[in-house]
Amino acid sequence: MRFVVNTQCAVLRDGKFLMITRGAAVKHASGVLGFPGGKVDPGDEPESVLESTVRREVFEETGISISEGIEYVRSAAFNLADGTPVVDVLFLGSYEAGEPRIADPGEVEGINWMTADQILAHERTPPWLVDQITAVTRHQRRRLRP
């Protein structure tokens, strides 16, 4: 069995997360909020493939560059509507440069900087994003403990 490997990044800037609203042309979860990211492609750098993929995807979807020091938060598995198994890897990163811009409106309908509370209260927040925000928040708390 082959899995699709997907990466996402919770990009932070001044206490807010970089969020996208997924476009209508996206097969999975169109119209909902999510972290930017995407699938590992055969052309992605073989060294640190997950990290290079998430950097490429964040930039392609939003025009934002993230810092070198991204951190693994968690992984999860699920099946797409057609039964395709997916392994999803979530990272935490910091904003480095760039201004948000939508390159492909079919893939990304909107880009916003949002606090965790704003995300959790938003009408377009799917249940898995609630779980991801919780995981990122826990990860941040663990980092701050002495």
Side-chain angles (χ1 to χ4, degrees), residues 5-135:
V5 178
N6 188 67
T7 62
Q8 296 183 66
C9 193
V11 180
L12 270 174
R13 178 183 188 183
D14 300 326
K16 293 184 176 183
F17 293 101
L18 179 66
M19 301 304 299
I20 62 167
T21 302
R22 296 171 59 85
V26 177
K27 291 180 186 177
H28 175 68
S30 63
V32 302
L33 286 178
F35 292 122
K39 298 174 193 160
V40 174
D41 291 333
D44 286 328
E45 296 177 35
E47 287 291 317
S48 303
V49 67
L50 298 176
E51 294 86 345
S52 65
T53 297
V54 81
R55 278 188 178 71
R56 174 184 54 77
E57 286 285 346
V58 168
F59 184 77
E60 286 177 3
E61 290 184 355
T62 68
I64 298 295
S65 296
I66 55 177
S67 63
E68 284 296 315
I70 63 173
E71 301 171 32
Y72 169 84
V73 175
R74 74 164 206 182
S75 61
F78 64 91
N79 291 324
L80 296 175
D82 67 2
T84 302
V86 176
V87 172
D88 186 68
V89 183
L90 177 61
F91 292 96
L92 173 63
S94 296
Y95 167 87
E96 185 172 87
E99 289 301 319
R101 54 111 182 104
I102 297 171
D104 180 353
E107 186 175 359
V108 175
E109 179 182 303
I111 303 172
N112 293 292
W113 291 100
M114 301 173 74
T115 66
D117 288 341
Q118 288 171 323
I119 296 164
L120 294 174
H122 200 280
E123 63 185 11
R124 289 189 174 189
T125 298
W128 62 83
L129 182 55
V130 173
D131 294 342
Q132 290 176 327
I133 290 291
T134 301

